[in-house]
Amino acid sequence: MKLNERSVAHYATCDSPPDKTGFLFKKGERNTAYHRRWFVLKGNMLFYFEERDAREPVGVIVLEGCTVELCESAEEFAFAVKFDCAKARVYKMAADGQAAMESWVKALSRASFDYMRLVVKELERQLEEIQEAGGAGLQARPKPSRPNQVARSRSGASTSSLSSSSSSSSSASKGLQDELQLPSDRSKENGVAWSVDGASCVAWEACADPGNSHGARAPPVPPRRRGASLESPVSPGTGCFSKLHDWYGLEVAELRTQWLQSQ
């Protein structure tokens, strides 16, 4: 592998956040003594410096195809970075303590792209299992009813209930039947014709929806309480929304004028 020396040195000292940093004792290749070096792990590259504030690294170890394992050495808490190639160098290092050694071994073992590739494959396998399980659950789950079917069922229930109530009321008394008969100027809300006093409704006429090609009818609104009115209890004569809006506008304008006078 050929690396550009300037690019590697810049990557080692740039502002990109490192994955791990710290001091380790590194065994030299020619001088077999252990030397204290400052290590910086970025991605799959392990840089080491003579000092913590050094401008350029002394060397770099590309952590691809390597294994990190404990080793026997004169130094305590030692471990080695080995490669599959027979002539490849074995890097021996030692930490200050047991916790630091375990932390470095774990970080270096997970730094290679081979490890990340295995993790991605495992996550993809788990995702496929979840999707297959979800697909099986969706097939086993009963399909929901269509909106128009629900509307039709509701319309049938409402029509039957209205017809039953009409028949029972007609058999009970004639006066109640006369009360349910509306004049010609009866009001309609959501396709429901209301009685004069707002107590009940007698007919649910078809409420055609322009966007509904199936001809489904909307369910009726609940009956209004007896004596209910759209008139404002504060300002009579404001049943129309525009009149009510103008009335509140006058109130706001009056309050604003009082506030300006107080200022």
Side-chain angles (χ1 to χ4, degrees), residues 6-221:
R6 292 184 179 181
S7 299
V8 173
H10 173 72
Y11 179 62
T13 57
C14 66
D15 295 335
S16 62
D19 298 320
K20 188 173 180 58
T21 59
F23 282 105
L24 289 173
F25 294 94
K26 176 181 170 295
K27 186 176 182 179
E29 185 176 9
R30 297 180 181 179
N31 185 4
T32 57
Y34 281 85
H35 303 276
R36 193 168 185 261
R37 296 287 185 258
W38 175 255
F39 282 82
V40 176
L41 177 62
K42 287 188 174 183
N44 64 341
M45 291 187 175
L46 180 63
F47 302 95
Y48 52 96
F49 301 77
E50 288 186 355
E51 299 293 339
R52 184 171 184 174
D53 298 332
R55 294 184 177 180
E56 293 183 358
V58 178
V60 58
I61 305 173
V62 182
L63 303 171
E64 287 299 330
C66 70
T67 57
V68 185
E69 56 187 27
L70 303 181
C71 65
E72 295 182 0
S73 176
E75 292 289 334
E76 196 176 5
F77 311 115
F79 59 93
V81 179
K82 300 180 179 180
F83 295 87
D84 296 335
C85 182
K87 297 183 179 180
R89 178 183 173 183
V90 178
Y91 294 88
K92 292 185 178 181
M93 288 163 275
D96 295 331
Q98 181 71 22
M101 181 193 67
E102 294 178 358
S103 178
W104 272 107
V105 169
K106 183 183 296 184
L108 297 178
S109 301
R110 299 177 177 180
S112 64
F113 283 106
D114 290 337
Y115 175 82
M116 296 301 298
R117 190 180 296 111
L118 293 176
V119 172
V120 171
K121 287 184 178 180
E122 177 63 20
L123 293 176
E124 289 178 349
R125 185 188 64 80
Q126 295 179 7
L127 180 60
E128 290 178 357
E129 292 180 355
I130 294 175
Q131 290 177 348
E132 291 177 358
L138 290 177
Q139 292 178 0
R141 186 181 303 173
K143 296 182 179 180
S145 303
R146 294 183 180 179
N148 57 355
Q149 295 177 354
V150 176
R152 290 174 183 175
S153 61
R154 291 180 178 177
S155 64
S158 301
T159 307
S160 59
S161 61
L162 289 175
S163 59
S164 60
S165 62
S166 301
S167 59
S168 60
S169 61
S170 59
S171 59
S173 66
K174 185 178 179 180
L176 182 59
Q177 185 178 9
D178 296 335
E179 182 182 0
L180 292 177
Q181 295 177 356
L182 302 182
S184 58
D185 57 345
R186 61 191 178 187
S187 59
K188 297 180 180 180
E189 293 184 14
N190 196 20
V192 180
W194 297 94
S195 61
V196 178
D197 58 358
S200 59
C201 60
V202 295
W204 177 17
E205 298 180 358
C207 180
D209 187 0
N212 189 0
S213 60
H214 299 284
R217 296 180 297 174
V221 295

